[in-house]
Amino acid sequence: MQYRQLGRTDMKVSAISFGAWAIGGTWGPVDDGRSLAALHAAVDAGVNFVDTADVYGDGRSERLVARLRRERKGERIFVATKAGRRLPEQTPEGYSRDNLEAWVGRSLRNLETDTIDLLQLHCPHPRVYDAPEVFGILDDLVSAGKIRYYGVSVETVDEALRGIRQTNVQTVQIIFNMLRLKPAEQFFPAAKARQVGILARVPLASGLLTGKLTAESRFAADDHRSFNRNGEAFDKGETFSGVPYELGLELVERLRRLAPAGATLAQLALRFILMYDAVSCAIPGAKTVEQARANAAAADLPALSPETMAAVQALYDEKLRPLVHASW
């Protein structure tokens, strides 16, 4: 496992970390025993950073992470969570002191801790990025010892660029994978210049880049890959990275040929992300021990060749740039 500096914080985090959305819910059925086993397998493989949110399973994910830390007492496992999506409707006014303090307090209880390592605003209303008073409240929560650092989780490159104008934003979580390359072009240089950490989320494009999905794949009713194909519940770009499913399957067959000998397509996809030194970590999800181990092993792959990197870029330029580049 590689470890990378997370922006200006005091945290060195595993380059492959653990995204805990899937173990909370909206990815089909979950079993807490299997989820906890996956978390332990990730830590055994060198993972020391877990990203969750208060709305993943309405706190279920946070509580599982708390249990993990109880069972790994003495080991330093950094935890990031998020706040803001408990609002019934996203409004700038929703990011009030009362709401932020209540959300943080609830996460502290779920996580069974006195201090959150990293709190991220969870894809807030776009105007929040330009509201210094909201970030002032976060500064007060830092001063009160309830959070150590804060950042933002964003939908678009524009939001990321606006977010890092706020002085104490330490991290940005953004969708970045072989099907969504815009951040590398338009955001990574600015983040590096400001020493802002980057968490690459949706690194496997909702499972597309595992290479295991087919035209016959069916998803449970409570899986966002069923109910959010067109953005019915939240931003369309969260599901399959905004790529039409049938086109995604076609592109997967072309990308599969680029995987190094002995590596899976998913491992290629994760190693591709780590080729960008602006990225602090990729945060793939895992619901099983096998998935957690395979994800972590991607960090051990050799650097990808310039030819492989160029082939991914060419495919993006040919097939995806017209579809996704302007939207996010």
Side-chain angles (χ1 to χ4, degrees), residues 72-248:
R72 308 292 293 230
K73 199 166 184 180
E75 297 181 54
R76 189 63 170 105
I77 300 170
F78 299 113
V79 176
T81 194
K82 307 183 199 75
R85 303 307 290 188
R86 301 190 69 77
L87 286 171
E89 179 183 358
Q90 284 295 307
T91 64
E93 295 74 26
Y95 289 79
S96 64
R97 183 176 296 275
D98 285 348
N99 280 344
L100 281 163
E101 289 181 347
W103 297 332
V104 167
R106 185 176 185 273
S107 287
L108 287 168
R109 291 189 295 275
N110 283 340
L111 291 168
E112 300 175 20
T113 187
D114 296 324
T115 307
I116 294 166
D117 291 312
L118 176 67
L119 181 79
Q120 302 155 98
L121 297 184
H122 198 174
C123 301
H125 188 285
R127 290 213 304 274
V128 169
Y129 299 102
D130 303 316
E133 62 275 14
V134 172
F135 296 93
I137 297 167
L138 296 178
D139 287 331
D140 290 344
L141 289 167
V142 172
S143 297
K146 294 184 178 181
I147 62 178
R148 297 178 61 222
Y149 302 104
Y150 62 81
V152 291
S153 182
V154 304
E155 297 290 3
T156 69
V157 165
D158 176 69
E159 290 172 350
L161 290 168
R162 286 158 54 204
I164 64 173
R165 293 176 191 155
Q166 301 294 337
T167 303
N168 293 323
V169 164
Q170 305 287 346
T171 62
V172 170
Q173 186 173 149
I174 191 167
I175 296 175
F176 178 65
N177 58 51
M178 292 196 294
L179 306 181
R180 285 275 288 273
L181 299 185
K182 184 176 180 179
E185 295 181 19
Q186 299 189 12
F187 173 60
F188 287 6
K192 283 183 69 175
R194 289 179 177 262
Q195 294 180 282
V196 170
I198 294 174
L199 284 63
R201 64 189 180 94
V202 195
L204 300 178
S206 308
L208 262 178
L209 292 173
T210 66
K212 296 178 180 178
L213 303 183
T214 71
E216 287 71 46
S217 295
R218 296 293 178 265
F219 306 98
D222 61 348
D223 188 320
H224 72 101
R225 294 172 293 183
S226 279
F227 66 74
N228 195 57
R229 293 276 184 101
N230 298 301
E232 295 91 338
F234 38 80
D235 191 273
K236 177 181 175 180
E238 299 281 351
T239 302
F240 301 128
S241 298
V243 175
Y245 186 63
E246 295 74 16
L247 175 60

Side-chain angles (χ1 to χ4, degrees), residues 177-182 185 208-209 243 246-259 265 268-269 272 276 306-325:
N177 58 51
M178 292 196 294
L179 306 181
R180 285 275 288 273
L181 299 185
K182 184 176 180 179
E185 295 181 19
L208 262 178
L209 292 173
V243 175
E246 295 74 16
L247 175 60
L249 293 176
E250 173 193 329
L251 299 181
V252 159
E253 292 311 307
R254 294 175 62 177
L255 290 167
R256 194 191 304 274
R257 304 168 202 159
L258 302 175
L265 174 61
L268 166 71
F272 174 86
Y276 293 83
E307 292 77 16
T308 296
M309 299 298 289
V312 175
Q313 183 71 55
L315 188 62
Y316 177 84
D317 291 339
E318 175 193 353
K319 294 288 189 178
L320 293 172
R321 187 178 289 273
L323 286 174
V324 302
H325 202 79

